[in-house]
Amino acid sequence: MIENALRYSHTLLKSTIINGDKVIDATVGNGGDTVLLAKLVGKTGHLFGFDVQAQAIKTTKEKLLFTGLLQQVSLYNEGHEKLNLFVPANIEIAAAVFNLGYLPTGDKQIITKGETTIQAIEIILPRLRKGGLIVLTVYSGHPEGDLEKSAILEFTKQLSQDLFTVLYYGFINQKNSPPFLIAIEKR
Ligand code: SAH
């Protein structure tokens, strides 16, 4: 079966991240990606995770504690657009993950927004290592999701081809706007 956007994001991350890497989970949510990333960086690496919902941070902290992964993770109840305040400037980033939209089990009014998502991407891009990746799973099937989708496409389309490779991956014959993936690779 062809992998959906979320699964394919995991495939890309697994083939990019190695032990000792520093990575960012820009939208921690229920911590599914957080656990995967923490495993991939291992005890010598580090994961910086962000979410504006305190409950998401709490649930994820418990998951990491339970799986013995908390030591290689720092979680911040902060917006990803402020990540410069928390991720030391001398650290090269191997990968960053954004799972956009709202948290299905949380407050559906709290959604990621094009403007702040792009601010965070702009902070990460110059800090990505060669071959490093930013992976975005984009959900446009909710009000405002369409706006974020357009903003992200417009922004990522104009990135210099000499510096970055940008992939669009998604199903084009499915109803109800299934999530799609954008991956930005530093050349
Ligand atoms: N749509 C996905 C889940 C997305 S979760 C799915 O269906 O599986 C998105 C998370 O981003 C939420 O937990 C939300 O609280 C968080 N979020 C929203 N704005 C944010 C911001 N500016 N910085 C960090 N996290 C943010």
Side-chain angles (χ1 to χ4, degrees):
M1 286 256 287
I2 299 175
E3 292 180 309
N4 67 20
L6 195 63
R7 275 193 169 274
Y8 190 57
S9 77
H10 291 173
T11 298
L12 289 174
L13 294 166
K14 284 178 195 162
S15 67
T16 301
I17 300 170
I18 56 169
N19 252 256
D21 273 345
K22 315 289 189 292
V23 302
I24 293 171
D25 186 347
T27 50
V28 162
N30 285 331
D33 290 347
T34 322
V35 167
L36 171 75
L37 292 168
K39 280 185 188 154
L40 292 173
V41 298
K43 298 231 175 296
T44 56
H46 206 79
L47 162 64
F48 300 86
F50 296 85
D51 203 295
V52 290
Q53 289 188 69
Q55 186 58 44
I57 296 293
K58 185 165 176 273
T59 311
T60 300
K61 198 167 249 173
E62 281 160 14
K63 264 188 194 166
L64 293 165
L65 201 59
F66 193 67
T67 45
L69 295 163
L70 194 57
Q71 92 173 58
Q72 61 251 42
V73 180
S74 304
L75 294 178
Y76 304 97
N77 183 15
E78 299 278 354
H80 42 231
E81 64 280 8
K82 292 194 219 147
L83 69 90
N84 246 2
L85 301 177
F86 304 98
V87 183
N90 59 340
I91 284 181
E92 242 194 353
I93 296 161
V97 179
F98 292 75
N99 198 344
L100 302 177
Y102 58 81
L103 187 62
T105 56
D107 181 345
K108 294 194 173 70
Q109 307 296 321
I110 302 178
I111 54 170
T112 56
K113 303 235 165 83
E115 193 186 342
T116 35
T117 301
I118 289 168
Q119 278 170 18
I121 298 172
E122 282 182 312
I123 297 169
I124 298 166
L125 283 178
R127 304 187 51 178
L128 268 187
R129 74 142 189 253
K130 245 193 179 123
L133 272 186
I134 300 179
V135 178
L136 305 122
T137 304
V138 187
Y139 294 75
S140 61
H142 62 281
E144 286 218 52
D146 236 7
L147 289 174
E148 184 173 37
K149 169 185 171 179
S150 313
I152 286 170
L153 287 178
E154 196 185 319
F155 174 77
T156 50
K157 271 183 192 171
Q158 53 78 42
L159 288 171
S160 160
Q161 153 175 14
D162 296 333
L163 301 176
F164 301 102
T165 305
V166 184
L167 170 76
Y168 179 109
Y169 175 99
F171 300 116
I172 57 172
N173 70 330
Q174 288 186 357
K175 295 192 180 94
N176 304 324
S177 327
F180 64 91
L181 176 134
I182 296 287
I184 308 169
E185 183 185 47
K186 173 99 147 240
R187 303 185 57 172

